[in-house]
Amino acid sequence: MPSQMTKATLAAAGLSSASNILAQFLEAYRDGRPFAFDVANFLRFVAVTFITAPPNYMWQQLLERTFPAYERKASTGDVEKQNASGEDAPERKPKLNLRNTMAKWFIDCITLGAIFNTVAFFLLMGILKGQSADQIGSNVRNETIPIIVAGYKIWPFASIISFSCVPVEKRIVFLNFVGLLWGIYMSLVASRV
């Protein structure tokens, strides 16, 4: 049986594939030309996903271990918590730790996550396109801030929902589903840099 990380990576690759194909259709429509599937563009985009999804999965795991969204369950060995039959009383739904959720959101969406993922995208895409170090550096310098600012229109909301409502093992899949639309945008960016 494949690991959760493998499942999340395959789901991310599937969603990235769909977003790249949709972006290619949109680009052809925008340019007024017939659709012609660009296999190299597609393979580069999906390869970047296969490379970046596992570290992103581990990053989400680290964030959840460091800043758990919900308070960890205490041992129910307390006699007062047992009902008359000797069984544990029904547990209450754990309370969302808002401080931890906001810390994860800030670290992932506003600072480190956004910066590392954007730079990794330009670096990997440049390498896969055979661009020079100067061209990759130029893309990182000129495109990173605009991409992060554009991302602030979608990712803060997706991250809050993810951190507060989505189990950590499903988080990458949820974020990649949201990223289907973002992936269309990034595919269009990848075709121009």
Side-chain angles (χ1 to χ4, degrees):
M1 180 112 175
S3 71
Q4 290 295 329
M5 183 167 57
T6 301
K7 290 178 187 177
T9 300
L10 292 173
L15 290 166
S16 289
S17 297
S19 65
N20 184 267
I21 292 167
L22 289 169
Q24 288 190 43
F25 271 113
L26 289 172
E27 201 168 31
Y29 177 78
R30 181 191 66 201
D31 296 345
R33 60 178 168 76
F35 174 74
F37 183 62
D38 185 341
V39 176
N41 179 331
F42 174 81
L43 291 175
R44 279 191 300 267
F45 199 74
V46 174
V48 168
T49 299
F50 272 113
I51 294 167
T52 60
N56 273 301
Y57 182 89
M58 291 184 285
W59 170 248
Q60 292 299 318
Q61 295 287 323
L62 175 66
L63 287 173
E64 189 61 31
R65 279 193 310 274
T66 308
F67 305 102
Y70 294 92
E71 294 181 19
R72 294 186 174 107
K73 296 177 183 176
S75 170
T76 57
D78 189 348
V79 176
E80 292 182 58
K81 291 183 181 179
Q82 293 181 348
N83 62 23
S85 68
E87 297 172 4
D88 286 344
E91 293 183 26
R92 293 180 305 178
K93 184 177 179 184
K95 184 178 178 184
L96 178 68
N97 185 321
L98 192 56
R99 182 175 178 230
N100 283 356
T101 299
M102 295 309 290
K104 283 189 287 196
W105 172 75
F106 183 77
I107 292 167
D108 186 46
C109 192
I110 302 300
T111 58
L112 296 177
I115 293 167
F116 288 141
N117 277 313
T118 305
V119 170
F121 176 82
F122 288 120
L123 178 68
L124 292 168
M125 194 58 68
I127 290 169
L128 292 172
K129 284 184 170 187
Q131 294 176 339
S132 69
D134 288 342
Q135 179 61 51
I136 293 170
S138 175
N139 289 341
V140 168
R141 281 188 305 279
N142 298 325
E143 299 285 343
T144 298
I145 297 302
I147 294 294
I148 290 173
V149 169
Y152 286 162
K153 296 172 184 169
I154 187 172
W155 290 114
F157 306 108
S159 291
I160 290 293
I161 291 167
S162 169
F163 291 137
S164 59
C165 302
V166 179
V168 68
E169 68 276 3
K170 306 266 191 240
R171 212 167 275 162
I172 292 298
V173 176
F174 170 78
L175 292 173
N176 274 283
F177 182 74
V178 173
L180 179 67
L181 296 175
W182 181 250
I184 292 170
Y185 174 73
M186 292 303 289
S187 286
L188 295 171
V189 168
S191 70
R192 77 165 196 259
V193 296

